[in-house]
Amino acid sequence: KMNALYSLYAPMENSDFYFNDKGFIECFERFYERRHEYDAVVCANTHISVAFFSTLNERDPETAKKIMVVSFLDTKIAKFYHMPITISAYCENSIYDAVISMYKNTKKQKYIHAMNFTLKTKLVIRESSGNKLPPPEEYVYKLTAKYYYGNRSVMYETNEEILMEYENDPDLKEIIVTENLLSSADELDFKIIWLFLMGYKNSEISDMLYVSIQTIQYRSRVLFKILGVESKKDFVNILSKYICIEKLRRYILDTQSEG
């Protein structure tokens, strides 16, 4: 991906790439020194995008409003996050078709050792910074040139002795756990989360969703456990960092209309 970008955009220099060797914050600090040189940033995945936006917004909210972030891996947290993150990802249906095809072929021929599949990709364009409307998706695809690998490539050496494991990065850990929570939640869980963020009590939520208060209490305990907290206050404090209430509300309404 780095070399594809490098080949596509001639003005890009090797110094425009920032690596997470010692962890996210060390990588961010190096970018922060040159932040005014960029109007867009491409992140390796949406977890890093959320950490990037959160940290930049704390340090320099004006730049956070102006800069556009593009990322890979379409996740729940990317849908609900306060700042817009445009995503390049594989189409889910394309993945499902590949899995089904793999299953059928291995059932017929048990001695297959490997299979190759071409997955379709999608570009999930979200509103741009500065409240500008995003360009139509077809327009973007039409203008996107077919990249080629030129003679130059990104020069980078990894130091295994200082390399921090992604899951253990303190600035990403909370984001990853929040994504785990959102990925495991069902329709009722999302409604409970939404109403928690809105400030409603368990008894009020029970009446609004037409379920018993015991159900609300049980669901709450499961959600708290996934996030690693013991109280509703801590639960809300963490999720409010990463979830826009209005985006979650729209998601719930869209899910209901699809059902």
Side-chain angles (χ1 to χ4, degrees):
K1 290 172 183 175
M2 289 188 298
N3 283 321
L5 285 169
Y6 210 25
S7 296
L8 271 171
Y9 191 57
M12 187 175 285
E13 300 176 356
N14 202 85
S15 59
D16 292 320
F17 292 91
Y18 301 89
F19 298 94
N20 267 32
D21 277 348
K22 299 177 184 177
F24 167 79
I25 198 64
E26 190 271 344
C27 174
F28 178 85
E29 291 296 347
R30 284 184 281 115
F31 163 83
Y32 191 75
E33 294 174 0
R34 300 177 56 194
R35 66 192 183 283
H36 297 303
E37 298 178 28
Y38 305 104
D39 58 9
V41 171
V42 179
C43 294
N45 59 53
T46 47
H47 300 145
I48 294 172
S49 298
V50 170
F52 170 82
F53 258 141
S54 299
T55 311
L56 184 60
N57 196 47
E58 288 176 7
R59 303 270 293 274
D60 187 352
E62 288 305 311
T63 299
K65 290 176 185 176
K66 296 174 184 176
I67 206 159
M68 185 175 186
V69 172
V70 180
S71 186
F72 302 93
L73 184 66
D74 196 15
T75 58
K76 287 289 193 301
I77 203 166
K79 289 181 173 69
F80 302 142
Y81 190 59
H82 301 279
M83 306 291 280
I85 303 171
T86 290
I87 306 294
S88 173
Y90 291 115
C91 297
E92 290 183 16
N93 289 342
S94 180
I95 298 172
Y96 300 149
D97 291 343
V99 172
I100 292 169
S101 177
M102 189 185 304
Y103 174 75
K104 288 180 177 178
N105 280 290
T106 51
K107 288 286 285 184
K108 292 177 182 177
Q109 302 178 43
K110 296 182 180 180
Y111 299 102
I112 293 177
H113 295 290
M115 280 184 272
N116 293 323
F117 295 94
T118 301
L119 300 178
K120 295 180 181 178
T121 57
K122 63 178 178 179
L123 191 64
V124 184
I125 305 172
R126 298 190 169 97
E127 62 270 26
S128 302
S129 58
N131 296 320
K132 297 175 184 176
L133 292 174
E137 191 169 308
E138 310 79 44
Y139 184 74
V140 174
Y141 279 117
K142 189 176 180 181
L143 289 186
T144 303
K146 291 183 178 180
Y147 69 83
Y148 63 93
Y149 289 107
N151 294 326
R152 64 178 194 160
S153 61
V154 181
M155 303 300 293
Y156 174 66
E157 292 182 7
T158 301
N159 188 337
E160 296 291 342
E161 294 180 1
I162 62 171
L163 188 64
M164 180 183 289
E165 291 185 14
Y166 177 81
E167 295 80 4
N168 296 331
D169 192 318
D171 296 286
L172 299 176
K173 207 166 185 178
E174 190 175 80
I175 295 169
I176 295 171
V177 173
T178 301
E179 177 61 35
N180 292 340
L181 168 74
L182 297 173
S183 297
S184 63
D186 61 17
E187 187 176 339
L188 179 56
D189 290 330
F190 279 122
K191 290 178 180 178
I192 293 171
I193 292 169
W194 172 54
L195 293 170
F196 275 171
L197 292 172
M198 292 285 289
Y200 288 101
K201 298 177 181 177
N202 284 7
S203 56
E204 294 172 319
I205 296 173
S206 173
D207 293 338
M208 295 170 75
L209 299 182
Y210 303 104
V211 295
S212 69
I213 196 164
Q214 289 80 11
T215 299
I216 301 298
Q217 291 170 340
Y218 171 75
R219 293 273 184 151
S220 300
R221 286 195 298 270
V222 173
L223 294 172
F224 294 174
K225 186 176 181 181
I226 295 172
L227 204 59
V229 298
E230 296 183 357
S231 70
K232 184 192 292 186
K233 181 180 178 181
D234 291 338
F235 184 80
V236 170
N237 284 342
I238 291 175
L239 289 192
S240 59
K241 298 180 195 175
Y242 307 112
I243 295 179
C244 170
I245 294 175
E246 178 56 25
K247 288 182 180 181
L248 178 56
R249 185 188 73 85
R250 290 202 302 263
Y251 175 81
I252 292 169
L253 292 175
D254 290 343
T255 304
Q256 288 176 333
S257 62
E258 288 174 5

